[in-house]
Amino acid sequence: SESSRSPQHQYIFSVAPGFSSPAHMTKVNINIVRAKNIPKMDFLGKSDPYVKVIMGGKEVARTPVIPSNLNPEWNFKKTIEWDDTNDLIFSVWDSDAITADDECGEFTLRAGSVKSFTGTVPLTLGKKVKKSGDATLTLNTLAAGSSEGCCAACSVM
């Protein structure tokens, strides 16, 4: 009979390892609070810092530039779509009007901590940084709808 026959074609879709489709994304609230002791990158002795958030080689968020400041306070909040796989790289840059922007330093938030993290972390300094220092970045992350910890909109000291 017609109903007992199996379908002529069955399609099985496989996905490359490490790839997540948009259906498997997790909303994560990020709050980039502040940085301290950013290296002096400009000729006149200051930096114009901003932070880029990178996931899997792609920029997913960027703070505004704070001009002439080595201890910027952003209190930048954004909800991103995280792929449940990649680390998040918080990369601090010095904005330059004439030349290419310079990397001041970065912090890698491991994938296992992305859904809930609060802290002040040391920055691994960029290649062009002339002095070593104790540059830090304060940030919070929390998966949207999560009840653990705070909502990532506060600054915990």
Side-chain angles (χ1 to χ4, degrees):
S1 80
E2 193 69 32
S3 63
S4 66
R5 267 197 271 161
S6 62
Q8 291 265 347
H9 301 284
Q10 280 190 319
Y11 294 100
I12 299 173
F13 294 98
S14 65
V15 180
F19 176 84
S20 294
S21 69
H24 295 95
M25 302 293 269
T26 299
K27 288 186 186 306
V28 174
N29 299 315
I30 61 170
N31 180 12
I32 300 169
V33 181
R34 75 180 65 84
K36 290 199 182 238
N37 302 314
I38 295 297
K40 297 174 184 175
M41 301 297 288
D42 289 343
F43 180 70
L44 299 175
K46 293 280 188 171
S47 290
D48 305 308
Y50 65 94
V51 179
K52 293 194 282 191
V53 183
I54 310 293
M55 177 183 70
K58 181 181 169 207
E59 183 177 317
V60 294
R62 182 186 289 220
T63 68
V65 172
I66 298 183
S68 300
N69 199 318
L70 300 179
N71 297 292
E73 297 231 7
W74 291 282
N75 289 309
F76 174 82
K77 298 173 183 76
K78 182 169 183 178
T79 300
I80 63 164
E81 298 277 334
W82 179 55
D83 63 9
D84 289 336
T85 303
N86 280 292
D87 297 340
L88 292 182
I89 299 170
F90 292 81
S91 185
V92 181
W93 289 78
D94 171 41
S95 178
D96 289 319
I98 298 168
T99 59
D101 292 356
D102 298 313
E103 185 179 24
C104 300
E106 70 178 31
F107 170 72
T108 300
L109 182 61
R110 298 288 174 210
S113 298
V114 168
K115 289 184 180 180
S116 181
F117 180 84
T118 298
T120 298
V121 295
L123 292 174
T124 302
L125 299 178
K127 293 181 180 109
K128 288 187 173 183
V129 176
K130 293 176 181 64
K131 70 166 192 85
S132 61
D134 53 352
T136 61
L137 182 66
T138 301
L139 61 109
N140 310 304
T141 63
L142 189 68
S146 178
S147 60
E148 62 186 70
C150 70
C151 66
C154 60
S155 172
V156 178
M157 297 299 285

